[in-house]
Amino acid sequence: RQMVMYEVAITSAGSGPRSTAECFVTLRGELGEYGPCALELVPTASVAGKEVCDVIALDVGKLTAIVIGHGGEGSSPAWHVQTVTIRRARTATEEAKSYDFFFDEYIAADRGSKALHVQLFPTAKSGRGPKNDGSRGARGEGA
């Protein structure tokens, strides 16, 4: 397997500050799992509440799920995640691919998901797929 670039774009309700905690994503695919990968998210000027970053990771093939979360540290660790879009860069053998995940909850120990990380599954292309249930995913909690 080769290393590939993934663009991670996260939207949240409103344009307020995001979590003060260290955020991460773990990629799960048909070829295996890679992560957790630190997310150094940068707000976009074009869309309020949208942050993006690039992650270089081992190719996991077609994404089947992601685990997204944070370490719970800082003065305001709660993180509202509405949608996650992951775009896998084109490689020598495959075209670029995009995967959408819908959640629209807080990732926080005290509200929303009641967990510091959640496992999300890709939604339908139309955006009308099922809402993810925020099942606990990695780091030893029911993975």
Side-chain angles (χ1 to χ4, degrees):
R1 296 189 297 167
Q2 62 185 345
M3 300 299 280
V4 296
M5 177 78 70
Y6 293 90
E7 179 190 77
V8 179
I10 298 172
T11 59
S12 58
S15 58
R18 70 170 187 87
S19 175
T20 56
E22 302 258 337
C23 299
F24 68 86
V25 65
T26 297
L27 306 170
R28 292 183 173 167
E30 293 178 338
L31 300 177
E33 180 175 309
Y34 190 87
C37 304
L39 294 175
E40 296 179 18
L41 296 163
V42 176
T44 62
S46 60
V47 180
K50 181 177 181 179
E51 299 175 294
V52 298
C53 77
D54 291 332
V55 172
I56 297 174
L58 196 60
D59 185 5
V60 297
K62 179 180 177 184
L63 281 178
T64 57
I66 61 171
V67 175
I68 188 165
H70 60 80
E73 65 277 340
S75 60
S76 183
W79 185 22
H80 185 271
V81 173
Q82 190 170 35
T83 63
V84 180
T85 299
I86 298 184
R87 289 183 185 89
R88 183 182 161 281
R90 181 175 188 241
T91 67
T93 58
E94 292 187 52
E95 293 297 317
K97 294 181 182 167
S98 183
Y99 303 88
D100 296 314
F101 304 83
F102 179 73
F103 186 57
D104 202 17
E105 288 278 351
Y106 276 92
I107 299 175
D110 61 347
R111 60 181 156 165
S113 66
K114 302 273 194 226
L116 295 182
H117 61 270
V118 293
Q119 178 173 251
L120 305 179
F121 301 94
T123 57
K125 278 286 185 195
S126 66
R128 296 179 166 206
K131 180 178 177 184
N132 279 286
D133 65 3
S135 60
R136 293 182 179 167
R139 295 197 170 186
E141 295 183 27

